[in-house]
Amino acid sequence: MELVAVRGDITRLDVDAIVNAANTSLLGGGGVDGAIHAAAGRDLLRACVKLGGCPTGDAKATPGFQLRAKWVFHAVGPVWRGGLQGEEMQLASCYRRCMELAQEFSVRSVAFPAISTGIYRFPKEQAAAIAVATVRGAAEGSGVERVVFCCFDEATDRIYRQLLA
Ligand code: APR
């Protein structure tokens, strides 16, 4: 399984599935959530409404609609509250659940944003280390051939490139 860091907008990537950094309502928001809903079109919100929300640490799938990606895996990351309330486990769980969805939907390529490191304020370095370790640990038997860590800002891009070097 190939792991790469790419700088850019996840809604533009030509992969089988993109991961959304959503909230528990799954009804959209700002950041990457806003960008994905804007690019996918209103059918994405209609599909999300039917999912009835999603707990932190879990992820649920919808079609990608007008996105190039066939699927969107809506993951709900933890809000950073200092690190003593299980945030690291919850973040790892997001990545693991998305890899499980990738296997379930026979996805060969999946792109992740840096879940929880924006509005939810999870420290970037810690989050990236958790992301890479969890994805690597879930590779076996997942059927996934390529994982793209989509970095929207320079700092995140540098962190992932160092981790993956
Ligand atoms: N493509 C890729 N990455 C993006 C994009 C984009 N178009 N837009 C933002 N990002 C990056 C941010 O720079 C950050 O590195 O996604 C990462 C996650 O940041 P947020 O989108 O703020 O997500 P998060 O920190 O998980 O907070 C989730 O924000 O948008 C709301 O509804 C969402 O309540 C939820 C919360």
Side-chain angles (χ1 to χ4, degrees), residues 8-11 21-24 28-36 77-78 112-122 124 150-153 156:
D9 176 350
I10 201 166
T11 66
N23 59 60
T24 53
V32 68
D33 197 3
I36 289 173
F112 289 92
I115 301 170
S116 281
T117 66
I119 293 167
Y120 283 0
R121 306 193 56 68
F122 203 111
K124 293 181 178 3
C150 184
C151 306
F152 201 57
D153 57 79
T156 304

Side-chain angles (χ1 to χ4, degrees), residues 10-20 36 39-40 44 62-73 107 109-111:
I10 201 166
T11 66
R12 313 287 303 148
L13 295 182
D14 188 10
V15 289
D16 295 340
I18 62 170
V19 174
N20 183 16
I36 289 173
L44 182 62
T62 66
F65 298 108
Q66 292 170 33
L67 284 164
R68 299 173 78 173
K70 190 170 180 215
W71 304 106
V72 180
F73 298 157
V107 150
S109 56
V110 58

Side-chain angles (χ1 to χ4, degrees), residues 94-148:
C94 285
Y95 286 91
R96 197 173 314 110
R97 280 290 301 126
C98 287
M99 291 300 284
E100 287 169 1
L101 289 174
Q103 181 173 358
E104 193 181 327
F105 287 81
S106 305
V107 150
R108 291 278 175 275
S109 56
V110 58
F112 289 92
I115 301 170
S116 281
T117 66
I119 293 167
Y120 283 0
R121 306 193 56 68
F122 203 111
K124 293 181 178 3
E125 293 82 356
Q126 274 173 265
I130 290 166
V132 172
T134 307
V135 166
R136 279 207 171 109
E140 188 69 32
S142 69
V144 175
E145 292 162 3
R146 178 175 163 81
V147 172
V148 177

Side-chain angles (χ1 to χ4, degrees), residues 55-58 75-81 85-97 115-116 122 130 134:
T56 299
D58 197 358
V76 180
V79 174
W80 179 255
R81 292 190 172 87
Q85 301 191 34
E87 296 96 317
E88 294 198 334
M89 294 288 290
Q90 288 177 318
L91 185 62
S93 174
C94 285
Y95 286 91
R96 197 173 314 110
R97 280 290 301 126
I115 301 170
S116 281
F122 203 111
I130 290 166
T134 307

